[in-house]
Amino acid sequence: MRFLFVLTIGMLCLCASSSYAQQPTNPSAPTTGTIKGIVRDTAHNYVLKAATVSIYRADSSVLNYQLSNNYGEFKFTNVPIGQILRIDISNIGYETLRQKITIPKGETLLDLKTLVLNPRNETLKEVVISIPPITYNNDTLEINAAAFKLDTNATVEDLLKKVPNITVWGDGIITVNGKEVKSLLVNGKQFFDGDNKVTLQNIPKNALEKIQIFNNADRNNPLDSNLIANLKLKKGKDRSYFGKIGIGYGTDNHYQLDGNINFTTPKLQLSIIGATNDVNKIPNDINTLVRNSTFKGIGTSVEYQPDFRQTGINKGIVAGAKMNYNFTPDSKEWNNKSSMSADYYFRNTETNNSGKTDNITTLSTNNKIFSLSENTSVNNSESHRINSQFNYFKKNHQIDISESFNTDNSSSKSINLRNASDNNNKPISTNDGRSTSNSDSQNLNLRANYSYNNYNNWKQRFKGFNLSYNLSMNNRNSDRNEITEFKDLLTPTLNRDFNRNYQTDAKTLNQNINLTVRDLRSLIFGNKNLSDFNGEITAKLDLDNNKNNNQVQDLNSGTYQVNNYLSNNLQTNQAVFTPGFSISKNFSKNLSNRYNKNLSIRFTAAQQLSYQDNKSIKSFQNINRDYNNFIPTASISYSNYQYGTHQTSISLNYNTQIIIPTINQLAPLTDSTNLYNLQRGNLNLVEAKTKSLNLSIYRYDMRSKNTLNFSANASIGLTEDAIIDSSFIDARNRRNNYLANADGTKYARIYGDVRKSLKFKSAELKFGYTTSFNVNRTPNYLNGLFNFSNNTSTENKISTNFTFKDKFALEGAQSIGTSSSKQKSLNTAYKNTTLTSSLSTNYNFTKKFSLNSNVSFNSNNPSVGETVNFTIWNAEFNYRFTKGNNAEIKLSALDLLKQNRAIFNFAGTNTFTTSTRNVLQQYFMVTLSYYPRKFGNNAAVKK
């Protein structure tokens, strides 16, 4: 909490000093006032609504703008007093009115009364001197880029920060008059997966013609709409390339090399990427590299940074390409756009891990076993991934087809040395293991969805349906060798040694078909309202086929011989059919341009019919079972949409879920190599049924500034016949785990999120608070004794994000997490508290020189063992050079205090585990980067 106090004081001082610097000589004299007036057309004797009214400073920069209302009125507040300004009023078909204005000192109101616009004489050849900052075209607000004067290196983000009533927050969210922009388009389509950062921080302002802002209604829910912003580029500027090439070398021979190049044409977008390093920077996809190599921007993002929380020392190579093709780039209909995308991603990693683990196992009130293990491992993996997606939109039809195919080849070597002691710290057993493995797998996923919607044709009874098909295929082959040496230090005759080979060939085929027929009311009764009652039919079919061929051999007298017990050929077929019928009732009330309130109630009756067939060369695994369960669901939801003020929604849902026991729970083959954990089965297991209730609350504030948004989610549930552990642990820490059904499993979860936004003249400030609370009660048996394990975890985080112009960004956070586990019958209780304070800053001293720094204070305080405190501090100095700021040199200092540690605590049913792992530590690096960039067919954008 000390960090929060310092952060708060610092920010208050910053705001106070900024405010003090702007105080006038006479602090009681007002500095801003109001300008108002009415726009009229006297030739036709009526007021002009939706006329563009703009106010400019003396340097011709836009101060503010708005549209006149239905009565021709406009009103500007917070206008500086005593400054010479210019007001421009324009409207289609009229000459632009332009005049200089000033709010006199000592006054706070300037009433311009009636301002007259003269109709334009179309026969005259007029020269347009200036472009109005905004125009209103039907339902679209258009912002003209040429009306805002910026330097030649400015990006779209720089432009948006100059437009009144538009805010680009430090976390990348864009709001217009307080409402969040849900989708940012370029020439009517997504720009490299619609990532705001890529779009805003790469496209030059000089390539932009206008910004179009409009609401787009959801096809399936016409009452719901999203705010869309479209960046319309100048002619020819939709052909471009941009990217980054960077190379770095540091102490301890650390290195990094990354680069990407991105091309665009009116129909095609293409990205090519590659990276390699040994500093824990392994992106999971292509988008991560593209997103974190933008030309220019301010923020505190640490997404693609060395991950000091990642365990082990990791080296990696990634490469790939991604393309998106749009079939109808010039279509004027936003919903009638069809596209295809595909990407290829290659990843090769090598990870070296080492660590220690302390474990306490409670057998009874005064009987505990203490174990210590040390482990090392080396893992290598190579994967290839291909994804593709096709989207087709045409009036009432929508088709989505996607596939993903990936291959993975991996190998690993590990050593684990483990020993156990009793209450008197007397050694009782050891278990040393060595493992080597090699595996390769191929996985294919195919998804197809067809949706038909015909709500626009009121004469047609059949309104629509949705049909989807999902296919998943997986082949996996692996070879593994396990060498285990178990020594009983009390009774040597119980010693066991194993040297065992495993060869596994596994194949899975999963298919899923879903059909939904909507609006049964219209289908059966036509246009009859039926008091807003409606119905829906659903049908779901899941087909699963699993084949496992396991060949196991044991070393015996110098040769490997077949283990007839563990060697097996098992095939499982499972079919689950779930038909359902839903009935719903809707209540609505609305007043045009004022509010819309809606209450919806839905109940679904569904029956789940399941069949499981297991075939094995082991007779006890030849099991066929049928399951038949009623799984009703119900929901009630309420929404209140107050136009221009706020939107609130509340929903309450009840669900039922069935969990069918698998063959490895019913009748597994017990592998005896790990005597500390032997898994047994239970043929008497029945399906578990979980009933849950979920409450969601959401509020969205639409005011232009000082908004307050929040959301909350709470759920409770209980499980009948839950599949639980029944463990028997002997004095040598050998464990036999059986499974059983028992009632009494319960849980409760709460999650909340509150966000407060403040907009100042030159700065934005956001506060956030998130909280989560999880509690569950799980029954279990330990050495025949029935016990309830009560587990609780909480997480609370306060964060703040502050940006000042394009100079400074700061993000601070304070979080506290707790976890506890209690076993009443064993009289045990374990607790752990984790504190994390973090601060990230970015300061641009000039347009060429900037400083980035992030620091985190970490404290881990378990009820058993030592309290661990450590601080991770990273800093970067960046200098841009060349005329267009395309080249950069960066000096990085990572883990400056050399304190990084990885500590993990885990509380189980009757255990508490503390472990440490090796992690990346302090190093320094120099990086050189170049940002190639060109928009347009002609000469490159001037720098």
Side-chain angles (χ1 to χ4, degrees), residues 18 170 200 207 240 312 350 593 632 642 645 712 825 866 910:
S18 176
L200 299 178
S240 65
E350 176 185 322
N593 293 327
Q642 298 287 333
T645 304
S825 61
E866 65 172 330
N910 65 315

Side-chain angles (χ1 to χ4, degrees), residues 53-55 74 85-89 97-99 101 112:
V53 186
S54 312
I55 295 182
F74 64 87
L85 306 171
R86 190 184 87 224
I87 186 169
D88 285 8
I89 305 177
L97 173 66
R98 179 177 298 109
Q99 67 181 51
I101 57 175
L112 299 177

Side-chain angles (χ1 to χ4, degrees), residues 24 183 223 311 352 388 439 473 522 756 783 855:
S183 181
L223 293 177
T311 60
N352 291 272
S388 64
S439 68
M473 299 176 62
S522 177
K756 176 66 177 177
N783 292 344
V855 59

Side-chain angles (χ1 to χ4, degrees), residues 691-709:
K691 302 175 181 179
S692 61
L693 194 64
N694 183 278
L695 174 66
S696 297
I697 302 174
Y698 171 82
R699 187 183 189 276
Y700 185 79
D701 196 335
M702 298 180 183
R703 291 176 297 175
S704 60
K705 56 182 179 180
N706 300 340
T707 59
L708 177 65
N709 300 309

Side-chain angles (χ1 to χ4, degrees), residues 697-892:
I697 302 174
Y698 171 82
R699 187 183 189 276
Y700 185 79
D701 196 335
M702 298 180 183
R703 291 176 297 175
S704 60
K705 56 182 179 180
N706 300 340
T707 59
L708 177 65
N709 300 309
F710 64 84
S711 63
N713 184 283
S715 61
I716 57 174
L718 61 86
T719 303
E720 299 173 358
D721 294 318
I723 300 175
I724 66 168
D725 288 330
S726 177
S727 301
F728 291 87
I729 307 174
D730 63 18
R732 294 157 179 81
N733 204 28
R734 295 180 301 182
R735 180 190 297 259
N736 283 269
N737 291 320
Y738 295 85
L739 297 175
N741 289 109
D743 294 333
T745 297
K746 300 179 181 180
Y747 73 86
R749 301 167 186 158
I750 298 175
Y751 173 81
D753 179 15
V754 180
R755 302 171 305 282
K756 176 66 177 177
S757 303
L758 300 173
K759 182 73 167 66
F760 305 103
K761 182 178 179 181
S762 303
E764 300 89 35
L765 179 63
K766 268 192 175 183
F767 292 100
Y769 171 68
T770 58
T771 181
S772 65
F773 173 81
N774 295 275
V775 59
N776 64 77
R777 186 179 73 162
T778 306
N780 57 80
Y781 289 92
L782 180 61
N783 292 344
L785 177 66
F786 185 75
N787 173 58
F788 276 107
S789 179
N790 297 292
N791 301 286
T792 303
S793 65
T794 66
E795 185 74 31
N796 289 276
K797 181 178 180 180
I798 299 174
S799 61
T800 181
N801 189 301
F802 175 79
T803 57
F804 178 74
K805 294 183 178 181
D806 58 352
K807 288 289 187 180
F808 179 70
L810 179 147
E811 182 177 355
Q814 172 69 62
S815 66
I816 176 171
T818 66
S819 62
S820 65
S821 178
K822 298 180 181 180
Q823 292 77 40
K824 184 176 181 181
S825 61
L826 299 177
N827 195 28
T828 60
Y830 301 107
K831 296 181 180 179
N832 186 68
T833 301
T834 302
L835 292 171
T836 303
S837 305
S838 62
L839 179 67
S840 300
T841 60
N842 173 278
Y843 184 72
N844 295 332
F845 292 93
T846 66
K847 294 180 179 179
K848 293 181 177 292
F849 180 60
S850 65
L851 168 66
N852 302 285
S853 180
N854 58 82
V855 59
S856 65
F857 307 90
N858 306 272
S859 176
N860 192 61
N861 183 15
S863 60
V864 178
E866 65 172 330
T867 297
V868 178
N869 300 307
F870 61 97
T871 301
I872 300 176
W873 181 17
N874 305 322
E876 292 180 348
F877 297 87
N878 302 276
Y879 179 73
R880 288 286 182 99
F881 54 99
T882 72
K883 185 177 180 181
N885 290 346
N886 293 82
E888 178 185 75
I889 183 171
K890 179 189 296 184
L891 304 178
S892 304

Side-chain angles (χ1 to χ4, degrees), residues 411-426:
S411 63
S412 67
K413 294 181 180 180
S414 64
I415 299 175
N416 185 280
L417 308 177
R418 185 173 180 179
N419 61 75
S421 305
D422 60 15
N423 281 332
N424 299 317
N425 203 29
K426 181 180 179 181

Side-chain angles (χ1 to χ4, degrees), residues 658-720:
I658 304 299
I659 303 172
I660 299 173
T662 66
I663 186 62
N664 289 321
Q665 293 174 321
L666 296 169
L669 297 178
T670 303
D671 192 333
S672 56
T673 53
N674 186 2
L675 294 178
Y676 282 160
N677 190 8
L678 299 176
Q679 188 64 46
R680 312 292 184 178
N682 183 355
L683 289 172
N684 297 316
L685 289 177
V686 299
E687 69 270 36
K689 180 182 291 186
T690 299
K691 302 175 181 179
S692 61
L693 194 64
N694 183 278
L695 174 66
S696 297
I697 302 174
Y698 171 82
R699 187 183 189 276
Y700 185 79
D701 196 335
M702 298 180 183
R703 291 176 297 175
S704 60
K705 56 182 179 180
N706 300 340
T707 59
L708 177 65
N709 300 309
F710 64 84
S711 63
N713 184 283
S715 61
I716 57 174
L718 61 86
T719 303
E720 299 173 358

Side-chain angles (χ1 to χ4, degrees), residues 359-397:
N359 184 276
I360 302 174
T361 302
T362 302
L363 302 181
S364 59
T365 303
N366 298 312
N367 188 9
K368 297 181 180 180
I369 294 177
F370 300 85
S371 64
L372 172 66
S373 64
E374 299 182 15
N375 59 80
T376 59
S377 66
V378 178
N379 302 282
N380 294 275
S381 69
E382 180 179 291
S383 63
H384 302 261
R385 185 176 67 210
I386 300 174
N387 299 315
S388 64
Q389 184 171 359
F390 172 76
N391 306 106
Y392 174 81
F393 296 87
K394 188 65 175 180
K395 293 184 178 178
N396 303 324
H397 305 275

